[in-house]
Amino acid sequence: MKRYRLRPLATKRILAGERLITIDDFEQTEQAEHLEEGMVIMLSDADRRLNAKALVGRQNKGLAWVFTNEQDEFWDEELLTQRLEAAIEIRQKFLSEDQSVTTAFRLFNGEGDGIGGVTIDWYEAYIQFNWYSRGIYEYREWFVAALQELLPNIKGIYETKRFKLFDNESAIAHTSGEAAPQPLVIKENSIDYAVYLGEDWMTGIFLDQREVRSFVQTQAQDLNVLNLFSYTGAFSVAAAVGGAAKTVSIDVANRSVEKTKEQFALNGIDAQPPQHEVRVMDVFDYVNYAKRHNLTFDLVVCDPPSFARTKKRLFKAEKDYAQLAQDLFDLTAPGGLCILSTNHSGYKKEAFINEMSQVGRSHSGHFQMIQSYGLPFDFPASLDAESHYLKVLVFYRNN
């Protein structure tokens, strides 16, 4: 195992508990450029205070993830099994509780559970791997064997490779066990949702927003709800189950209509206007339309991608969210709530809170932040800023 020296600032970060290593962290960056995927490397500093070990796996976030700072821990099947076992123990609440409540959750969350570059989701006993680097994928067989031993009731395994592929590789595949029904109906907080494993990059629901959907459900009684960037309408369904008087779901993708109506139907709700409206439309065009027509809503939910490109405009969360928030505050009725969410890891929590709060204070409606959400317990994070990607703020309009 080769030893590489890190720069002082990188050494300080790793000693403090961060796990992500970039090329620029190395004293000799040319050495790092030629490291092979899946290599295990030793990391130290000039004073040998640091004795970390990392697994090389290139992805957008960086070059490698530290898996231990302990001299007597080594990358092998035993360590991997221990990390998986510890992760499963944390999720025993979901694995053992009444299956009428929640049957889909994050089973292993990469660096937050001690091994970066891979996540594993549980959908009604079907497993979804997300591999973010070829380096970690080199150990796929270890993961699969350990998981099947620890959870023998797994019905089937699906895998998505989110790294550069060779010509003969498939990005999305069912690789083991039974094939899941299409759709597979899962439960979250006793609400039914349809997911599709093995068909697309996304399954149909973002599991990290579970607590926010629960909040929407508890607040929605008799409210008019606007759901922007609605995807498959999960926030709208949660609001409707919670007794919303009206929901409006807006997304630019044509498939959103069929997918949203399917989610409503699973819960015995007919998604037809005027009570439940689903529009295929550029969100920014709808916001302008709503402002022109003086439309307001008691609850506004906005969960945009970090970057959104349409024919007319490009949205970048760090650059453009403040203006979007101003417009959304205009659409929020007095006494109403506005929920602003971002999953952009580069948009720091402090900056997001400060900028959105500043917009709220300067607005004539005098908005006040009353609640915030991050990642739920089954999405543990490391101390790296990149690991704490989800930030959700709830604002109340005073007048």
Side-chain angles (χ1 to χ4, degrees):
M1 188 188 308
K2 291 187 177 180
R3 182 182 293 270
Y4 298 86
R5 187 177 294 176
L6 297 184
R7 299 179 189 272
L9 183 58
T11 298
K12 183 178 179 180
R13 287 194 299 102
I14 301 306
L15 286 172
E18 294 190 21
R19 291 290 175 260
L20 184 62
I21 303 295
T22 69
I23 287 180
D24 291 336
D25 289 333
F26 289 79
E27 280 197 349
Q28 295 180 304
T29 56
E30 66 277 6
Q31 290 181 327
E33 291 173 353
H34 300 290
L35 293 175
E36 296 180 7
E37 293 291 299
M39 280 184 62
V40 177
I41 57 176
M42 286 284 296
L43 301 171
S44 66
D45 63 328
D47 301 322
R48 292 292 182 100
R49 293 173 299 155
L50 176 66
N51 287 284
K53 302 181 183 74
L55 184 70
V56 177
R58 291 171 177 82
Q59 58 184 94
N60 290 338
K61 292 181 179 180
L63 171 71
W65 291 100
V66 170
F67 61 86
T68 185
N69 283 350
E70 303 296 328
Q71 291 191 30
D72 58 351
E73 282 192 328
F74 300 92
W75 178 250
D76 56 22
E77 292 181 78
E78 181 180 1
L79 180 140
L80 186 147
T81 301
Q82 289 172 352
R83 299 287 168 84
L84 286 173
E85 191 171 20
I88 291 169
E89 181 61 31
I90 293 172
R91 280 82 168 179
Q92 278 301 320
K93 169 189 173 184
F94 285 144
L95 289 167
S96 60
E97 74 176 5
D98 183 354
Q99 293 298 289
S100 66
V101 179
T102 296
T103 61
F105 53 92
R106 175 61 52 88
L107 186 66
F108 189 88
N109 196 43
E111 67 275 10
D113 281 306
I115 301 174
V118 58
T119 63
I120 309 171
D121 293 325
W122 175 278
Y123 294 96
E124 284 270 359
Y126 291 91
I127 293 296
Q128 169 71 54
F129 279 96
N130 286 290
W131 304 101
Y132 290 92
S133 76
R134 186 168 295 281
I136 192 65
Y137 184 72
E138 293 290 324
Y139 301 95
R140 172 193 175 275
E141 292 184 6
W142 288 8
F143 277 90
V144 172
L147 207 56
Q148 289 177 326
E149 180 179 347
L150 293 168
L151 295 170
N153 59 329
I154 290 173
K155 295 179 181 178
I157 295 177
Y158 288 80
E159 301 181 54
T160 300
K161 301 172 188 172
R162 299 177 181 272
F163 52 85
K164 187 176 181 180
L165 303 178
F166 298 136
D167 291 340
N168 61 342
E169 286 186 301
S170 297
I172 304 168
H174 168 237
T175 58
S176 178
E178 299 176 20
Q182 301 287 35
L184 173 65
V185 179
I186 59 95
K187 288 186 179 293
E188 179 190 88
N189 298 321
S190 301
I191 299 176
D192 290 331
Y193 294 100
V195 298
Y196 290 81
L197 301 182
E199 286 195 0
D200 205 344
W201 293 103
M202 297 179 288
T203 63
I205 189 169
F206 297 117
L207 298 177
D208 53 6
Q209 291 278 14
R210 181 180 63 251
E211 293 178 346
V212 187
R213 282 188 289 270
S214 178
F215 176 81
V216 168
Q217 181 183 352
T218 62
Q219 299 297 314
Q221 182 71 44
D222 298 326
L223 302 186
N224 291 332
V225 178
L226 175 62
N227 180 12
L228 301 173
F229 302 96
S230 59
Y231 185 36
T232 61
F235 281 118
S236 301
V237 173
V241 172
K246 177 183 177 68
T247 67
V248 179
S249 305
I250 309 295
D251 199 285
V252 74
N254 289 322
R255 65 182 180 180
S256 64
V257 174
E258 177 186 351
K259 297 292 187 182
T260 300
K261 289 183 175 181
E262 178 183 42
Q263 306 286 29
F264 273 92
L266 284 173
N267 294 279
I269 303 169
D270 187 13
Q272 297 296 331
Q275 186 174 8
H276 300 296
E277 184 179 348
V278 186
R279 289 196 184 191
V280 175
M281 189 174 183
D282 185 316
V283 164
F284 302 97
D285 288 342
Y286 181 82
V287 169
N288 291 333
Y289 162 84
K291 290 178 67 175
R292 287 197 308 271
H293 290 80
N294 297 315
L295 301 181
T296 59
F297 298 84
D298 306 303
L299 175 58
V300 176
V301 182
C302 182
D303 183 24
S306 301
F307 304 95
R309 184 188 297 276
T310 64
K311 293 180 180 179
K312 296 181 179 179
R313 56 180 60 82
L314 174 66
F315 172 83
K316 295 183 179 180
E318 283 183 286
K319 178 175 177 285
D320 303 315
Y321 214 136
Q323 179 57 56
L324 178 58
Q326 175 71 43
D327 293 335
L328 299 185
F329 288 160
D330 290 343
L331 300 184
T332 305
L337 299 172
C338 185
I339 301 176
L340 306 176
S341 175
T342 181
N343 64 0
H344 183 21
S345 61
Y347 199 171
K348 301 297 184 273
K349 179 180 179 180
E350 294 77 11
F352 186 50
I353 291 175
N354 289 339
E355 290 177 13
M356 298 306 105
S357 297
Q358 183 176 353
V359 174
R361 286 191 297 269
S362 63
H363 194 278
S364 59
H366 298 101
F367 283 80
Q368 178 181 2
M369 193 181 84
I370 61 170
Q371 178 69 285
S372 67
Y373 292 92
L375 293 166
F377 83 92
D378 50 324
F379 285 74
S382 69
L383 293 179
D384 302 87
E386 293 81 359
S387 194
H388 296 263
Y389 63 88
L390 183 65
K391 296 155 284 277
V392 184
L393 311 179
V394 182
F395 286 87
Y396 173 77
R397 179 168 182 168
N398 289 295
N399 55 57

